[in-house]
Amino acid sequence: MKNIAFIGLGTMGFPIASHLVKQNQKITIYNRNIKKCHNFKKNFKKYNIIIEDNLFSLAKNNQYIFSCVGNDDDLREIYFSKTGIINEIKPNSYIIDHTTVSSEISIESFIKFKKKNCFFIDAPVSGGEIGAKNGTLSIMVGGDKKIYSKLRKLLDIYSKSITYMGKSGNGQLTKMVNQICVAGIIQGLSEGLNFAKQKKLSFNELFDAVSNGAAQSWQMDNRASTMWLDKFKFGFMNKWMKKDLIIALKEAKKSDILLPCTEEILKFYEQLIFKGYGDFDTSSLIKLLNKKN
């Protein structure tokens, strides 16, 4: 049994933590909204779950600390603020971050924790809420390869694939590539399905015809039918995609890399959020093609 702590019980963090406690039998949890901690404990009564409201205590008593929060500022708060874990963390502790953030904060974390004789890896995930619940996430890892190798068995608990991408920050750069590609695929799928609807094609026959060819994708397999039915209350939210695409575009700008399609699709997500669809699944891009919306 390992001393494991998990910070951030949101849409992704809650199911990831659930896989860890089922395997390890014990976990310490922390969330700014303490109600989520009590809800977690209620759902997993038979396991040893410690609810912690103090990051100092959490850092002192746990060697393996996972985080899955919102953005760079959230990470800086839980890691490096006056109440952050770095102030009380023990040497030879491991910090595994599943948040999608900038490469800068990951590199900063790697350096600062190393000075404390601790080990940090950036490990953003892909697969959405479904992947987190099913334990089939794809994880992209940046950091020391030897440390990654030591942590591999823990990451295996809730993933279907783990890829080591090199130095610190490379996990986040890889996630940016993932989001750039996903956004483009969803926009293409939206336009294709809208075209089919306007031409009054049958969805079932259409899906059979195109899903087994070059147009096949995870988005088509998992979202085409719900997009067709105008259902978007699940999965990865538009407000999160907006955040991720902004991170990618900022990184691209630093290296003078052109992302013209991504720039346009970001505007589309901003439109959806403005219209009140911030909590809808990212496949709701198709709504902008319906003139009634």
Side-chain angles (χ1 to χ4, degrees):
M1 201 182 298
K2 299 181 184 297
N3 288 325
I4 293 174
F6 205 101
I7 302 172
L9 298 175
T11 302
M12 300 297 286
F14 192 106
I16 294 173
S18 72
H19 291 296
L20 285 168
V21 74
K22 288 174 186 176
Q23 184 71 27
N24 193 59
Q25 305 294 308
K26 174 186 176 184
I27 197 169
T28 297
I29 52 176
Y30 174 95
N31 198 83
R32 282 182 295 191
N33 181 350
I34 196 81
K35 289 181 180 179
K36 290 187 177 181
C37 292
H38 291 297
N39 185 40
F40 187 92
K41 189 167 185 174
K42 183 180 178 180
N43 277 271
F44 302 100
K45 292 179 180 178
K46 68 178 182 179
Y47 302 107
N48 184 0
I49 297 170
I50 301 165
I51 296 175
E52 186 59 78
D53 62 1
N54 185 303
L55 289 171
F56 282 3
S57 178
L58 181 147
K60 282 181 181 178
N61 297 313
N62 293 280
Q63 186 181 13
Y64 300 86
I65 301 172
F66 293 76
S67 56
C68 190
V69 292
N71 53 41
D72 288 32
D73 290 340
D74 293 329
L75 273 192
R76 286 196 174 93
E77 181 182 345
I78 64 172
Y79 286 173
F80 308 128
S81 69
K82 291 180 180 179
T83 59
I85 64 173
I86 199 165
N87 298 291
E88 295 293 337
I89 199 163
K90 290 183 178 180
N92 297 313
S93 294
Y94 299 86
I95 304 93
I96 304 98
D97 181 42
H98 289 314
T99 316
T100 297
V101 288
S102 69
S103 58
E104 286 90 348
I105 184 65
S106 293
I107 295 168
E108 176 186 345
S109 301
F110 177 86
I111 293 169
K112 287 184 175 180
F113 282 117
K114 189 174 183 180
K115 289 178 180 177
K116 290 279 187 173
N117 293 315
C118 296
F119 313 103
F120 173 89
I121 63 168
D122 51 296
V125 300
S126 180
E129 184 180 4
I130 294 173
K133 287 181 176 179
N134 292 337
T136 56
L137 291 170
S138 295
I139 307 177
M140 312 147 212
V141 177
D144 187 305
K145 192 171 186 179
K146 291 181 180 178
I147 300 306
Y148 155 68
S149 297
K150 290 182 179 180
L151 297 171
R152 177 70 193 248
K153 287 185 178 180
L154 278 175
L155 300 177
D156 277 335
I157 292 170
Y158 47 89
S159 65
K160 67 175 181 181
S161 72
I162 310 170
T163 307
Y164 175 70
M165 295 304 301
K167 64 184 180 179
S168 181
N170 278 11
Q172 295 298 344
L173 293 176
T174 306
K175 180 61 183 289
M176 292 175 208
V177 174
N178 186 84
Q179 299 305 75
I180 291 166
C181 293
V182 168
I185 291 167
I186 295 173
Q187 180 61 23
L189 182 58
S190 296
E191 293 183 14
L193 290 175
N194 182 65
F195 178 89
K197 265 196 170 185
Q198 299 304 318
K199 292 297 183 179
K200 302 189 184 316
L201 296 178
S202 163
F203 175 77
N204 290 334
E205 282 73 16
L206 172 71
F207 186 80
D208 288 342
V210 300
S211 66
N212 293 309
Q216 187 276 335
S217 68
W218 185 96
Q219 295 294 334
M220 179 174 285
D221 291 346
N222 292 276
R223 293 289 178 263
S225 61
T226 51
M227 291 166 75
W228 191 269
L229 296 171
D230 200 39
K231 294 182 178 180
F232 309 105
K233 286 288 189 177
F234 50 83
F236 190 72
M237 296 182 192
N238 291 324
K239 60 186 179 183
W240 296 340
M241 179 61 93
K242 175 188 172 183
K243 179 206 75 170
D244 291 359
L245 294 183
I246 288 173
I247 291 171
L249 286 164
K250 284 182 178 178
E251 187 68 36
K253 188 175 182 180
K254 289 191 302 183
S255 302
D256 198 25
I257 298 169
L258 297 176
L259 297 175
C261 290
T262 305
E263 288 180 357
E264 287 302 308
I265 295 170
L266 172 60
K267 294 176 185 177
F268 298 155
Y269 280 114
E270 289 173 338
Q271 287 180 45
L272 284 170
I273 293 166
F274 179 77
K275 289 174 179 287
Y277 302 129
D279 291 343
F280 277 30
D281 180 77
T282 51
S283 61
S284 59
L285 276 179
I286 195 172
K287 292 186 75 67
L288 295 179
L289 301 174
N290 185 336
K291 294 178 182 179
K292 293 180 181 179
N293 292 309

